């Protein structure tokens, strides 16, 4: 939990299934089948689903979430035009979705949820009204209809439109000083990571992760573009991160070409 204590999480559906309750067992079987189907999709990703205002759903990639804390709204301080929470003599910056994007504001409530994440080397909290679920999303991502500051795009999960939050974009807009803070020394001086990914959403997400670490990135939309970048500067790159399924040239063929070229055959590749 947020205060460091450990709590066990009851698996209510599992308890019902072990008691051989037919209705619960059928629901568990359907859930397992759905999860297996999602995991078979190459571009499936785990999301934390939240509501800010009733009927408006948002998602954060689970990989950026450190923990979730339920906090009294009376503990949220508004100082200097920014929100913050004081915890154990430390100040945790808070970013509300409505402060960055054109969305319905969170309604008044005695409690809120702070989704604790890391961005630009700092820990901060994203405010949410309610936490709904953790799901595996495999539907295509729309990178144009709902895009704005703080929103990378949208997708459909369980027949509901869900807006995908851009954590790094939100922080850069709400607390620009975090972005300009000096970063750690790069592990590979004067070198870059080549990111080959056909999805604009995942490409931007990976670039954000690497940028937080102070790593330069070169982006390519398919294996053919990635291969061209390598051929133009084979000594520039320390690592290649590639999707597997892509148009024009997929990640497997790109890796074969990298391995067959004496100038790049020792370059690490992460698929």
């Amino acid at each position: 939990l947020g205060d460091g204590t450990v709590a066990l999480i009851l698996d209510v559906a599992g308890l019902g299934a072990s008691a051989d309750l037919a209705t619960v067992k059928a629901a568990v079987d359907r859930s397992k089948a759905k999860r297996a189907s999602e995991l078979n999709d190459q571009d499936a990703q785990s999301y934390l689903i939240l509501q800010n205002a009733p009927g408006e759903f948002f998602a954060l990639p689970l990989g950026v979430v450190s923990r979730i804390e339920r906090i009294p709204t009376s503990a949220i301080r508004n100082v200097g035009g920014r929100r913050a929470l004081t915890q154990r003599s430390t100040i945790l910056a808070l970013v509300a979705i409505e402060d960055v994007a054109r969305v319905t504001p969170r309604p008044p409530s005695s409690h809120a949820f702070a989704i604790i994440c890391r961005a630009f080397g700092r820990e901060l909290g994203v405010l949410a009204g309610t936490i709904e679920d953790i799901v595996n999303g495999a539907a295509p991502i729309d990178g144009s209809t709902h895009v704005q500051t703080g929103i990378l795009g949208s997708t459909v999960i369980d027949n509901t439109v869900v807006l995908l939050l851009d954590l790094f974009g939100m922080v850069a807009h709400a607390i620009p000083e975090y972005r300009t803070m000096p970063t750690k020394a790069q592990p590979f001086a004067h070198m870059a990571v080549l990111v080959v990914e056909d999805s604009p959403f995942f490409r931007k997400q990976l670039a954000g992760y690497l940028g937080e670490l102070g790593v330069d990135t070169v982006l390519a939309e398919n294996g053919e573009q990635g291969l061209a970048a390598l051929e133009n500067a084979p000594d520039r790159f320390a690592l290649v991160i590639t999707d597997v399924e892509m148009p024009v040239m997929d990640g497997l063929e790109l890796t074969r070409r990298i391995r067959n070229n004496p100038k790049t055959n020792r370059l690490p590749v992460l698929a």
Side-chain angles (χ1 to χ4, degrees), residues 241-257:
I241 300 177
T242 179
D243 189 13
V244 176
E245 294 184 349
M246 295 182 291
V248 185
M249 181 189 295
D250 64 22
L252 298 178
E253 181 59 27
L254 170 63
T255 304
R256 291 190 190 98
R257 301 283 188 94

Side-chain angles (χ1 to χ4, degrees), residues 50-53 58 60 69-73 76-78 83-85 92-99 106 111-117 124-131 165 167 170:
L50 58 101
Q51 277 196 88
N52 196 50
F58 300 87
L60 268 172
E69 296 188 12
R70 187 171 185 264
I71 58 174
T73 50
I76 299 174
R77 302 286 180 255
N78 235 317
R83 305 172 197 258
L85 176 70
L92 179 73
L94 298 175
V95 178
I97 302 171
E98 63 265 28
D99 290 345
R106 180 172 47 85
H111 285 79
F113 289 90
I115 304 165
I116 311 302
C117 310
L124 56 102
V126 176
L127 284 174
T130 60
I131 303 297
L165 294 177
L167 174 65
M170 290 175 64

Side-chain angles (χ1 to χ4, degrees), residues 1-238:
L1 303 178
D3 60 1
T5 57
V6 176
L8 301 181
I9 302 173
L10 288 178
D11 178 9
V12 179
L15 291 172
S18 67
D20 202 24
L21 300 179
T23 303
V24 177
K25 186 176 186 302
V28 171
D29 290 342
R30 288 194 300 271
S31 177
K32 287 181 177 178
K34 180 182 177 183
R35 180 169 174 78
S37 173
E38 291 169 344
L39 292 176
N40 284 333
D41 192 294
Q42 290 291 335
D43 284 332
Q45 169 148 322
S46 295
Y47 297 107
L48 175 70
I49 307 298
L50 58 101
Q51 277 196 88
N52 196 50
E56 203 165 41
F57 294 88
F58 300 87
L60 268 172
L62 195 58
V64 306
V65 178
S66 299
R67 65 186 188 277
I68 301 169
E69 296 188 12
R70 187 171 185 264
I71 58 174
T73 50
S74 59
I76 299 174
R77 302 286 180 255
N78 235 317
V79 180
R82 291 180 181 172
R83 305 172 197 258
L85 176 70
T86 56
Q87 293 182 316
R88 297 177 289 276
S89 302
T90 62
I91 298 175
L92 179 73
L94 298 175
V95 178
I97 302 171
E98 63 265 28
D99 290 345
V100 177
R102 298 186 303 275
V103 300
T104 306
R106 180 172 47 85
S109 174
S110 60
H111 285 79
F113 289 90
I115 304 165
I116 311 302
C117 310
R118 287 190 69 84
F120 306 112
R122 298 290 297 268
E123 194 172 70
L124 56 102
V126 176
L127 284 174
T130 60
I131 303 297
E132 296 297 317
D133 203 354
I134 292 174
V135 302
N136 286 317
I141 292 170
D142 183 337
S144 56
T145 305
H146 297 97
V147 172
Q148 55 172 300
T149 303
I151 307 293
L152 278 173
S154 57
T155 189
V156 177
I157 298 175
D158 290 337
N159 296 318
T160 301
V161 175
V162 178
L163 304 182
L164 305 175
L165 294 177
D166 176 9
L167 174 65
F168 295 97
M170 290 175 64
V171 177
H173 180 87
I175 318 174
E177 292 81 5
Y178 278 14
R179 188 175 187 176
T180 57
M181 289 181 123
T183 56
K184 297 177 182 178
Q186 293 189 28
F188 301 99
H190 311 299
M191 300 186 78
V193 172
L194 175 63
V195 176
V196 188
E197 168 61 68
D198 60 310
S199 164
F201 170 74
F202 289 115
R203 197 165 58 242
K204 185 172 182 179
Q205 188 176 318
L206 282 168
Y209 293 157
L210 294 166
E212 181 191 2
L213 300 174
V215 176
D216 290 332
T217 57
V218 174
L219 307 179
E221 296 182 12
N222 56 61
E224 190 173 88
Q225 288 186 10
L227 197 63
L230 286 172
E231 290 174 347
N232 289 335
D235 297 328
R236 181 183 179 188
F237 298 99

